[in-house]
Amino acid sequence: MMTIKDVAKKAGVSVATVSRVINESGYVNIDTRKKVEAAIKEMNYTPNEVARSLYKRKSKLIGLLLPDITNPFFPQLARGIEDRMQEHGYRIIFGNSDENEEKELDYIQTFIQNNVIGMISSTNFPEKDIYSNLKIPVVFLDRTSNDSPSVYADGRKGGRIAAQEIIARGSSKITVMQGPAHIKPAQDRFQGAIEVLDEMGITYHVIQTSSFSHTEAEQWAVELFDKYIDTDGVIASNDIVATAVIHEAHRLGKRVPQDLQIIGFDDIPLSSLLSPSLSTIRQPAHDMGREAAGLLIKLIEQDKVEDKIIQLPVSFVERETTRSIE
Amino acid sequence: MMTIKDVAKKAGVSVATVSRVINESGYVNIDTRKKVEAAIKEMNYTPNEVARSLYKRKSKLIGLLLPDITNPFFPQLARGIEDRMQEHGYRIIFGNSDENEEKELDYIQTFIQNNVIGMISSTNFPEKDIYSNLKIPVVFLDRTSNDSPSVYADGRKGGRIAAQEIIARGSSKITVMQGPAHIKPAQDRFQGAIEVLDEMGITYHVIQTSSFSHTEAEQWAVELFDKYIDTDGVIASNDIVATAVIHEAHRLGKRVPQDLQIIGFDDIPLSSLLSPSLSTIRQPAHDMGREAAGLLIKLIEQDKVEDKIIQLPVSFVERETTRSIE
């Protein structure tokens, strides 16, 4: 059957634009309107009334709760969500929780007041009553929650790969930077890394960190070399922290990767532009966002959901902060 | 007069939480409720009915249109906006325009359908009819528009400062990277830089770029040194491009800042963590967001607006990609 998507594709415009032309609602540029009408005529398209009423339904608002949009991992997630939602005519109300429970509750409350019909949440509190009591579907993103719908990357495996790669490339005095205690994905990757180090009988040091903030990253990098100046391999808690470690290593005259190897986590967009470019464990952030949006749309539209728990793979991105395997 | 804000401050919670306690609407943690009730009693606070009805008014939604949240300058703006809006109980519907006019129109249309009561837009098309025909207040952010409410940083002055600083620090074979032609703030900073170079009679080269994307930044850095291998000073169109230039300079064995000075634009959070850390022209992004939100709130609440065009200052942040002045 011919759908509105086919018309949009043919006319080279968005589904929302075709819908506005069909429903004669809202602003459409005159040339665009002509293109759409030509496509409708050429394809002999008749709008499906069910699809029309669905599109015209009042709220197509989704609530999105992220920890902090200034951490460059999260804008990637948000773009993935938005790109998918936009294709389906959904719009996003957005809030940063700062991993703070009260702020999170405030946002959920006001999302509901604004008639959101679904929610995507990167929360540290998925087990809270507030979520189980919601009458709308929720997808947890970058977080797991027993059997609730969720999309996340395999953090534990990511940590395991980081440890395996840094060992295979010759580091033996390894320091693992442990991410914030209350952030589960950070703990998963930490656990994965130390599992491998323990299995291989390699001693290691741990630097504990309490946030992913840019300003504090530098302090932990300083602490790292204050305590363990001889370390020859650092598994960082994320790419921001890894960037600070490269900076501090340079300041101390250490050569990366000859004297010191560093592996980050996330693969934020700037990783490949650093000097040296950062070897890291890639999370497919944009895809994670798209998958979460797709799952939520299915739940909202009561489509069949094959798998409500979606784990995406991580991978090692080899760049210049690690040595070649000989 | 005692206000709900005073109660919130006393109880150490948000205004929204106090409101929920007063209105007996929605979820409030039992301990939090007790704290709020104690504060109300202690301060002898009686909720103002006007304030109550204002708070209970249905839509407190604001539309926010940014070019691309994966450019790390924009999350800073978004945080500034959100932090201020959150204090006042407003919520944000968010969209990325990708500097695409049709996408922007789609978003504006659906913002209106969702009853937003104000809008903040970083648009390249502020003169479009769609904006002048809106019945709600709009603030242009990081953009100027004749006499419409707007908040922006002084890009032309930023460009001038970049040129003055790089010349004062001894570069004489300067290349200016010109940002995308359709983005006015990018052109302002470019014009400012070449004004100074012309005034001082210094010859320079120009590399034209067409986006701020991370992936393309590397290509322009390669093109830069392909064409002008002898350049000893680069004024980059933003910090992402500057990061790519540092990377490419290292790859070619150039020493930064001894052989080559680089100045960025924006002061994104990672700038200070780069190796070497990036000297740049700082735009006060978080403050710009806060100011735009404050201005929009005043317009919505019909408060007196002293100045509806707010230009914020830029400043040179001296780090390691420029030499000291001798």
CSV table of all heavy atoms in Angstrom, one decimal, chain A residues 182-226:
chain,number,residue,atom,x,y,z
A,182,HIS,N,27.2,6.0,41.7
A,182,HIS,CA,25.8,5.9,41.6
A,182,HIS,C,25.3,5.7,40.1
A,182,HIS,O,24.1,5.6,39.8
A,182,HIS,CB,25.1,7.1,42.2
A,182,HIS,CG,25.5,8.4,41.6
A,182,HIS,ND1,26.8,8.9,41.7
A,182,HIS,CD2,24.9,9.3,40.8
A,182,HIS,CE1,27.0,10.0,41.0
A,182,HIS,NE2,25.8,10.3,40.5
A,183,ILE,N,26.3,5.7,39.2
A,183,ILE,CA,25.9,5.5,37.8
A,183,ILE,C,26.2,4.1,37.4
A,183,ILE,O,27.4,3.7,37.2
A,183,ILE,CB,26.7,6.5,36.9
A,183,ILE,CG1,26.3,8.0,37.4
A,183,ILE,CG2,26.4,6.4,35.5
A,183,ILE,CD1,27.0,9.1,36.6
A,184,LYS,N,25.2,3.3,37.2
A,184,LYS,CA,25.4,1.9,37.0
A,184,LYS,C,26.2,1.5,35.7
A,184,LYS,O,27.1,0.7,35.8
A,184,LYS,CB,24.0,1.2,36.9
A,184,LYS,CG,24.1,-0.3,36.9
A,184,LYS,CD,22.9,-1.1,37.3
A,184,LYS,CE,23.1,-2.6,37.2
A,184,LYS,NZ,23.5,-3.0,35.8
A,185,PRO,N,26.0,2.2,34.6
A,185,PRO,CA,26.8,1.8,33.4
A,185,PRO,C,28.3,2.0,33.7
A,185,PRO,O,29.2,1.3,33.2
A,185,PRO,CB,26.3,2.8,32.3
A,185,PRO,CG,25.1,3.3,32.8
A,185,PRO,CD,25.0,3.2,34.2
A,186,ALA,N,28.6,3.1,34.5
A,186,ALA,CA,30.0,3.3,34.8
A,186,ALA,C,30.6,2.2,35.7
A,186,ALA,O,31.7,1.7,35.5
A,186,ALA,CB,30.2,4.6,35.6
A,187,GLN,N,29.7,1.6,36.6
A,187,GLN,CA,30.2,0.5,37.4
A,187,GLN,C,30.3,-0.8,36.6
A,187,GLN,O,31.2,-1.6,36.8
A,187,GLN,CB,29.2,0.3,38.6
A,187,GLN,CG,29.3,1.5,39.6
A,187,GLN,CD,30.7,2.0,39.9
A,187,GLN,OE1,31.5,1.1,40.3
A,187,GLN,NE2,31.0,3.2,39.7
A,188,ASP,N,29.4,-1.0,35.6
A,188,ASP,CA,29.5,-2.2,34.8
A,188,ASP,C,30.8,-2.2,34.0
A,188,ASP,O,31.5,-3.2,34.0
A,188,ASP,CB,28.3,-2.1,33.7
A,188,ASP,CG,27.0,-2.4,34.4
A,188,ASP,OD1,26.9,-2.8,35.5
A,188,ASP,OD2,26.0,-2.2,33.7
A,189,ARG,N,31.2,-1.1,33.5
A,189,ARG,CA,32.4,-1.1,32.7
A,189,ARG,C,33.6,-1.3,33.6
A,189,ARG,O,34.6,-2.0,33.3
A,189,ARG,CB,32.6,0.1,31.8
A,189,ARG,CG,32.7,1.4,32.5
A,189,ARG,CD,32.6,2.6,31.6
A,189,ARG,NE,31.3,2.9,31.1
A,189,ARG,CZ,30.8,4.1,30.8
A,189,ARG,NH1,31.6,5.2,30.7
A,189,ARG,NH2,29.6,4.3,30.4
A,190,PHE,N,33.6,-0.7,34.8
A,190,PHE,CA,34.6,-0.9,35.8
A,190,PHE,C,34.8,-2.4,36.2
A,190,PHE,O,35.8,-3.0,36.2
A,190,PHE,CB,34.4,0.0,37.0
A,190,PHE,CG,35.3,-0.3,38.1
A,190,PHE,CD1,36.7,0.2,38.1
A,190,PHE,CD2,35.0,-1.0,39.3
A,190,PHE,CE1,37.6,0.0,39.1
A,190,PHE,CE2,35.9,-1.2,40.3
A,190,PHE,CZ,37.2,-0.7,40.2
A,191,GLN,N,33.6,-3.0,36.5
A,191,GLN,CA,33.6,-4.4,36.9
A,191,GLN,C,34.2,-5.3,35.8
A,191,GLN,O,35.0,-6.2,36.0
A,191,GLN,CB,32.2,-4.9,37.2
A,191,GLN,CG,31.6,-4.3,38.5
A,191,GLN,CD,32.5,-4.6,39.7
A,191,GLN,OE1,33.2,-5.6,39.8
A,191,GLN,NE2,32.5,-3.7,40.7
A,192,GLY,N,33.8,-5.0,34.5
A,192,GLY,CA,34.3,-5.8,33.4
A,192,GLY,C,35.8,-5.7,33.3
A,192,GLY,O,36.5,-6.7,33.1
A,193,ALA,N,36.3,-4.5,33.5
A,193,ALA,CA,37.8,-4.3,33.4
A,193,ALA,C,38.5,-5.1,34.5
A,193,ALA,O,39.5,-5.8,34.2
A,193,ALA,CB,38.1,-2.8,33.4
A,194,ILE,N,38.0,-4.9,35.7
A,194,ILE,CA,38.8,-5.6,36.8
A,194,ILE,C,38.6,-7.1,36.8
A,194,ILE,O,39.5,-7.8,37.2
A,194,ILE,CB,38.5,-5.0,38.2
A,194,ILE,CG1,37.1,-5.2,38.6
A,194,ILE,CG2,38.9,-3.5,38.3
A,194,ILE,CD1,36.8,-4.8,40.1
A,195,GLU,N,37.5,-7.6,36.3
A,195,GLU,CA,37.3,-9.0,36.1
A,195,GLU,C,38.5,-9.6,35.3
A,195,GLU,O,39.1,-10.6,35.7
A,195,GLU,CB,36.1,-9.3,35.3
A,195,GLU,CG,34.8,-9.6,36.1
A,195,GLU,CD,33.6,-9.7,35.2
A,195,GLU,OE1,33.7,-10.1,34.0
A,195,GLU,OE2,32.5,-9.3,35.7
A,196,VAL,N,38.7,-8.9,34.2
A,196,VAL,CA,39.8,-9.4,33.3
A,196,VAL,C,41.2,-9.3,33.9
A,196,VAL,O,42.0,-10.2,33.9
A,196,VAL,CB,39.8,-8.7,31.9
A,196,VAL,CG1,41.0,-8.9,31.1
A,196,VAL,CG2,38.5,-9.0,31.1
A,197,LEU,N,41.4,-8.2,34.6
A,197,LEU,CA,42.7,-8.0,35.3
A,197,LEU,C,42.9,-9.1,36.3
A,197,LEU,O,44.0,-9.6,36.5
A,197,LEU,CB,42.8,-6.6,35.9
A,197,LEU,CG,42.8,-5.5,34.8
A,197,LEU,CD1,42.5,-4.1,35.5
A,197,LEU,CD2,44.2,-5.4,34.2
A,198,ASP,N,41.8,-9.4,37.1
A,198,ASP,CA,41.9,-10.4,38.1
A,198,ASP,C,42.2,-11.8,37.4
A,198,ASP,O,43.0,-12.6,37.9
A,198,ASP,CB,40.6,-10.5,38.9
A,198,ASP,CG,40.6,-9.3,39.9
A,198,ASP,OD1,41.6,-8.8,40.3
A,198,ASP,OD2,39.5,-8.9,40.3
A,199,GLU,N,41.4,-12.1,36.4
A,199,GLU,CA,41.6,-13.4,35.7
A,199,GLU,C,43.0,-13.6,35.2
A,199,GLU,O,43.5,-14.7,35.2
A,199,GLU,CB,40.6,-13.4,34.5
A,199,GLU,CG,39.1,-13.7,34.8
A,199,GLU,CD,38.2,-13.3,33.7
A,199,GLU,OE1,38.7,-13.2,32.5
A,199,GLU,OE2,37.0,-13.1,34.0
A,200,MET,N,43.6,-12.5,34.7
A,200,MET,CA,44.9,-12.6,34.2
A,200,MET,C,46.0,-12.4,35.3
A,200,MET,O,47.2,-12.5,35.0
A,200,MET,CB,45.2,-11.5,33.1
A,200,MET,CG,44.0,-11.4,32.1
A,200,MET,SD,44.3,-12.1,30.5
A,200,MET,CE,45.8,-11.4,29.9
A,201,GLY,N,45.6,-12.2,36.5
A,201,GLY,CA,46.5,-12.1,37.6
A,201,GLY,C,47.4,-10.8,37.5
A,201,GLY,O,48.5,-10.8,37.9
A,202,ILE,N,46.8,-9.8,36.9
A,202,ILE,CA,47.6,-8.5,36.8
A,202,ILE,C,47.2,-7.6,37.9
A,202,ILE,O,46.0,-7.3,38.1
A,202,ILE,CB,47.4,-7.9,35.4
A,202,ILE,CG1,48.0,-8.8,34.4
A,202,ILE,CG2,47.9,-6.5,35.4
A,202,ILE,CD1,47.7,-8.3,33.0
A,203,THR,N,48.2,-7.1,38.7
A,203,THR,CA,47.8,-6.1,39.7
A,203,THR,C,47.5,-4.8,39.1
A,203,THR,O,48.0,-4.4,38.1
A,203,THR,CB,49.0,-6.0,40.8
A,203,THR,OG1,50.1,-5.6,40.0
A,203,THR,CG2,49.2,-7.2,41.5
A,204,TYR,N,46.7,-4.0,39.8
A,204,TYR,CA,46.3,-2.8,39.2
A,204,TYR,C,45.9,-1.8,40.3
A,204,TYR,O,45.7,-2.2,41.5
A,204,TYR,CB,45.1,-2.9,38.3
A,204,TYR,CG,43.9,-3.6,38.9
A,204,TYR,CD1,42.9,-2.9,39.6
A,204,TYR,CD2,43.8,-5.0,38.9
A,204,TYR,CE1,41.9,-3.5,40.2
A,204,TYR,CE2,42.7,-5.6,39.6
A,204,TYR,CZ,41.8,-4.9,40.2
A,204,TYR,OH,40.7,-5.5,40.8
A,205,HIS,N,45.8,-0.5,40.0
A,205,HIS,CA,45.4,0.5,41.0
A,205,HIS,C,44.1,1.0,40.5
A,205,HIS,O,43.7,0.9,39.3
A,205,HIS,CB,46.4,1.6,41.1
A,205,HIS,CG,47.7,1.1,41.7
A,205,HIS,ND1,47.8,0.7,43.0
A,205,HIS,CD2,48.9,1.0,41.1
A,205,HIS,CE1,49.1,0.4,43.2
A,205,HIS,NE2,49.8,0.5,42.1
A,206,VAL,N,43.3,1.6,41.5
A,206,VAL,CA,42.0,2.2,41.1
A,206,VAL,C,42.0,3.7,41.6
A,206,VAL,O,42.4,4.0,42.7
A,206,VAL,CB,40.9,1.4,41.8
A,206,VAL,CG1,39.6,2.1,41.6
A,206,VAL,CG2,40.8,0.0,41.3
A,207,ILE,N,41.6,4.5,40.7
A,207,ILE,CA,41.3,5.9,41.1
A,207,ILE,C,39.8,6.1,41.0
A,207,ILE,O,39.2,5.9,40.0
A,207,ILE,CB,42.0,6.9,40.1
A,207,ILE,CG1,43.5,6.8,40.2
A,207,ILE,CG2,41.5,8.4,40.3
A,207,ILE,CD1,44.1,7.5,41.4
A,208,GLN,N,39.2,6.5,42.2
A,208,GLN,CA,37.8,6.7,42.2
A,208,GLN,C,37.4,8.1,41.8
A,208,GLN,O,38.1,9.1,42.2
A,208,GLN,CB,37.3,6.4,43.6
A,208,GLN,CG,37.6,5.0,44.0
A,208,GLN,CD,36.6,4.5,45.0
A,208,GLN,OE1,36.0,5.3,45.8
A,208,GLN,NE2,36.3,3.2,45.0
A,209,THR,N,36.4,8.2,41.0
A,209,THR,CA,35.9,9.6,40.5
A,209,THR,C,34.5,9.7,40.9
A,209,THR,O,33.8,8.7,41.0
A,209,THR,CB,36.1,9.7,39.0
A,209,THR,OG1,35.2,8.9,38.3
A,209,THR,CG2,37.6,9.4,38.6
A,210,SER,N,34.0,10.9,41.0
A,210,SER,CA,32.6,11.0,41.5
A,210,SER,C,31.7,11.8,40.5
A,210,SER,O,30.5,12.0,40.8
A,210,SER,CB,32.6,11.7,42.8
A,210,SER,OG,33.2,13.0,42.7
A,211,SER,N,32.2,12.1,39.3
A,211,SER,CA,31.4,12.7,38.3
A,211,SER,C,32.1,12.6,37.0
A,211,SER,O,33.2,12.2,36.9
A,211,SER,CB,31.1,14.2,38.6
A,211,SER,OG,32.2,15.0,38.1
A,212,PHE,N,31.3,13.0,35.9
A,212,PHE,CA,31.9,13.0,34.6
A,212,PHE,C,32.1,14.5,34.2
A,212,PHE,O,32.2,14.8,33.0
A,212,PHE,CB,31.0,12.3,33.6
A,212,PHE,CG,31.1,10.8,33.7
A,212,PHE,CD1,29.9,10.1,33.5
A,212,PHE,CD2,32.3,10.2,33.8
A,212,PHE,CE1,30.0,8.7,33.6
A,212,PHE,CE2,32.4,8.8,33.9
A,212,PHE,CZ,31.2,8.0,33.8
A,213,SER,N,32.2,15.4,35.1
A,213,SER,CA,32.3,16.8,34.8
A,213,SER,C,33.7,17.1,34.2
A,213,SER,O,34.7,16.6,34.6
A,213,SER,CB,32.0,17.7,36.0
A,213,SER,OG,33.2,18.2,36.5
A,214,HIS,N,33.7,18.1,33.2
A,214,HIS,CA,35.0,18.5,32.6
A,214,HIS,C,35.9,19.1,33.6
A,214,HIS,O,37.1,18.8,33.5
A,214,HIS,CB,34.7,19.5,31.5
A,214,HIS,CG,34.0,19.0,30.3
A,214,HIS,ND1,32.6,18.8,30.3
A,214,HIS,CD2,34.4,18.6,29.1
A,214,HIS,CE1,32.3,18.3,29.1
A,214,HIS,NE2,33.3,18.2,28.4
A,215,THR,N,35.4,19.9,34.5
A,215,THR,CA,36.3,20.6,35.4
A,215,THR,C,37.0,19.7,36.4
A,215,THR,O,38.1,19.8,36.7
A,215,THR,CB,35.5,21.7,36.2
A,215,THR,OG1,34.3,21.2,36.6
A,215,THR,CG2,35.3,22.9,35.3
A,216,GLU,N,36.2,18.6,36.8
A,216,GLU,CA,36.8,17.7,37.8
A,216,GLU,C,37.8,16.7,37.1
A,216,GLU,O,38.6,16.1,37.8
A,216,GLU,CB,35.7,17.0,38.6
A,216,GLU,CG,35.0,18.0,39.5
A,216,GLU,CD,33.9,17.4,40.3
A,216,GLU,OE1,33.2,16.5,39.8
A,216,GLU,OE2,33.8,17.8,41.5
A,217,ALA,N,37.5,16.4,35.8
A,217,ALA,CA,38.4,15.4,35.1
A,217,ALA,C,39.8,15.7,35.3
A,217,ALA,O,40.7,14.8,35.5
A,217,ALA,CB,38.0,15.4,33.7
A,218,GLU,N,40.2,17.0,35.2
A,218,GLU,CA,41.6,17.4,35.3
A,218,GLU,C,42.2,17.0,36.7
A,218,GLU,O,43.3,16.6,36.8
A,218,GLU,CB,41.7,18.9,35.1
A,218,GLU,CG,43.1,19.3,34.7
A,218,GLU,CD,43.1,20.5,33.8
A,218,GLU,OE1,42.1,21.1,33.5
A,218,GLU,OE2,44.3,20.9,33.4
A,219,GLN,N,41.3,17.2,37.8
A,219,GLN,CA,41.8,16.9,39.1
A,219,GLN,C,42.2,15.4,39.2
A,219,GLN,O,43.1,15.0,39.9
A,219,GLN,CB,40.8,17.3,40.2
A,219,GLN,CG,40.4,18.7,40.2
A,219,GLN,CD,39.2,19.0,41.0
A,219,GLN,OE1,38.8,18.2,41.9
A,219,GLN,NE2,38.4,20.0,40.7
A,220,TRP,N,41.3,14.6,38.7
A,220,TRP,CA,41.5,13.1,38.8
A,220,TRP,C,42.8,12.7,38.0
A,220,TRP,O,43.5,11.8,38.4
A,220,TRP,CB,40.3,12.3,38.4
A,220,TRP,CG,39.2,12.5,39.3
A,220,TRP,CD1,39.3,12.4,40.7
A,220,TRP,CD2,37.9,13.0,39.1
A,220,TRP,NE1,38.1,12.7,41.3
A,220,TRP,CE2,37.2,13.0,40.3
A,220,TRP,CE3,37.2,13.3,37.9
A,220,TRP,CZ2,35.9,13.4,40.4
A,220,TRP,CZ3,35.9,13.7,38.1
A,220,TRP,CH2,35.2,13.8,39.3
A,221,ALA,N,43.0,13.4,36.9
A,221,ALA,CA,44.2,13.1,36.1
A,221,ALA,C,45.4,13.5,36.9
A,221,ALA,O,46.4,12.7,36.9
A,221,ALA,CB,44.2,13.9,34.8
A,222,VAL,N,45.4,14.6,37.6
A,222,VAL,CA,46.5,15.0,38.5
A,222,VAL,C,46.7,14.0,39.6
A,222,VAL,O,47.8,13.5,39.9
A,222,VAL,CB,46.3,16.4,39.0
A,222,VAL,CG1,47.3,16.8,40.1
A,222,VAL,CG2,46.3,17.5,37.9
A,223,GLU,N,45.6,13.6,40.2
A,223,GLU,CA,45.7,12.6,41.3
A,223,GLU,C,46.3,11.3,40.9
A,223,GLU,O,47.1,10.7,41.5
A,223,GLU,CB,44.2,12.4,41.9
A,223,GLU,CG,44.2,11.4,43.1
A,223,GLU,CD,42.8,11.0,43.5
A,223,GLU,OE1,41.8,11.8,43.1
A,223,GLU,OE2,42.6,10.0,44.1
A,224,LEU,N,45.8,10.9,39.7
A,224,LEU,CA,46.3,9.6,39.1
A,224,LEU,C,47.9,9.6,39.1
A,224,LEU,O,48.5,8.6,39.6
A,224,LEU,CB,45.8,9.5,37.7
A,224,LEU,CG,46.4,8.5,36.7
A,224,LEU,CD1,46.1,7.1,37.1
A,224,LEU,CD2,46.0,8.7,35.3
A,225,PHE,N,48.5,10.6,38.5
A,225,PHE,CA,50.0,10.6,38.4
A,225,PHE,C,50.6,11.0,39.7
A,225,PHE,O,51.8,10.6,39.9
A,225,PHE,CB,50.4,11.5,37.2
A,225,PHE,CG,50.0,11.0,35.9
A,225,PHE,CD1,49.0,11.7,35.2
A,225,PHE,CD2,50.5,9.8,35.4
A,225,PHE,CE1,48.6,11.2,33.9
A,225,PHE,CE2,50.0,9.3,34.2
A,225,PHE,CZ,49.1,10.0,33.4
A,226,ASP,N,50.0,11.7,40.6
A,226,ASP,CA,50.5,11.9,41.9
A,226,ASP,C,50.7,10.6,42.6
A,226,ASP,O,51.7,10.4,43.3
A,226,ASP,CB,49.5,12.8,42.8
A,226,ASP,CG,49.8,14.3,42.7
A,226,ASP,OD1,50.8,14.6,42.0
A,226,ASP,OD2,49.0,15.0,43.3
